[in-house]
Amino acid sequence: MASHGTAHIGTPGGGLTARLTPGITRETGPGPYPVTGSAPATASAVPPAQVRRDMRLFWCAGTCDALGSQMSGLVLPLLLLSLGRTPAEVGAVAGVCAAATLILGPFAAVPADRGARKKVMVGAALVSAAAMTGVALAVRSGAVPMAVLIGAVLVERSATSCYEAASLGTVALVCPPAEHRRVLSRLQAGERGALVLGPALGGLLFQAGRWLPFLADALSYVVAAGCIRALRTELAPPREQRPPAGSPHRTWRAVAAEAGAGVALIRREPLLRLALGWLSAVNGLLAALYYTTVFALQDQGSGAAGPGLVLALAGAAGLAGALLAPQLAGRRSPTRVLVVVSWLMVPPAAALAAARDAWQFGLLFGLLCLLTPLATVALQARIIQVIPPGLQARTGTVLATASGAAAALAPALAGLAADRAGPETTLVVCAVLLAAVALHATWAAPALTRGTGEEPA
């Protein structure tokens, strides 16, 4: 039940929230369809008042939906367990939902790149609202057929994946390049605020009535659909820069090639390859650090209070980092920010192995969550300037899917390592891997700055 348009690290309430909103300004080489010159700055021609209005609406859509998704996402496993489902069955439902998201996202990105971005987003949000309303009514009636519940959740997850894929690139189409870092930081702040408030509100609503969190999620989708529908900016690149419409009788191979065009672009573009590797590695390692921290606290007998404290401190630090990112990162080269942040993350990660109580774990993990928005905001702003308009959604979907998959696999690997080597050793290994990520960023960054006018790392 993730929020639309984001790729969270999978640690509840913390870590890297990477809103990958690829956009436009220059051609990146031969692609699967013609790109005529460098893409015009579509958003720069929009009146400033309209830009501010549309960005407020887009922020409201994302934040409200993230809040609703966090409320229902917390209580769905509790509901399934209360209905007599086993943890294995709950995990299977989560796995099927994740698979639906991974499969449908790249295909939903194709019509978005062709100019149907707003239609896909509004339609997907309304379908998700209908599905969650069905869940709320079923739970309210008292008799909840398992097949109906799972079917409704699958419909919601499928529609959400379509919304997320279509929303990628919206920032580049709505606001001018000078505002990208500020807008991206506020979008991250809204989502991080939802990560902090959503689970608490969901728990309170669940106690008042098991159906209420799902009704709240349905209403959040309605608000998101209304906000997107009210946008005045055309959420499509110029017609001559869109991918050509395919024949209705195309083969599945042609459809798959068009959906995978973002992969081809990432293979050609060094900055996108660096972004893919860095986001995936940091997402996975932060998720592993969080769950290993939970394992360490459980070994110390802290109960639920310890992880709750870590969660609260990490969420607050992540929110502060997102709000401070434009001021701290400034106009510095994104590659330089990436290198500096990568190295600054290593000491607190290593210090986690020596932590002995929840406050120490929380402060160290909070420091990690404070640092990551500085790099992600700068990196996303640069990504917006690299990807041509007709590949925004498809390329962003690849980046978001890869980083999300890394975060999804990390908890299982962290649990296996903690069982065999212990939490302290696992934390040290994660810190060493973060140092390897920093070394790779340091090695790759100078090559990316040559000929771009960027400040060398």
Side-chain angles (χ1 to χ4, degrees), residues 165 234 313-314 380 387:
E234 178 65 27
L313 292 175
Q380 291 158 24
I387 303 177

Side-chain angles (χ1 to χ4, degrees), residues 83 111 119 165 169 185 197 243 302 412 430 446:
L83 295 174
K119 292 180 180 179
S185 70
L197 295 177
S302 65
C430 289

Side-chain angles (χ1 to χ4, degrees), residues 154-179:
L154 277 174
V155 169
E156 184 269 344
R157 283 306 308 150
S158 300
T160 296
S161 69
C162 296
Y163 183 110
E164 291 174 349
S167 69
L168 299 170
T170 302
V171 169
L173 297 171
V174 173
C175 73
E179 297 294 316

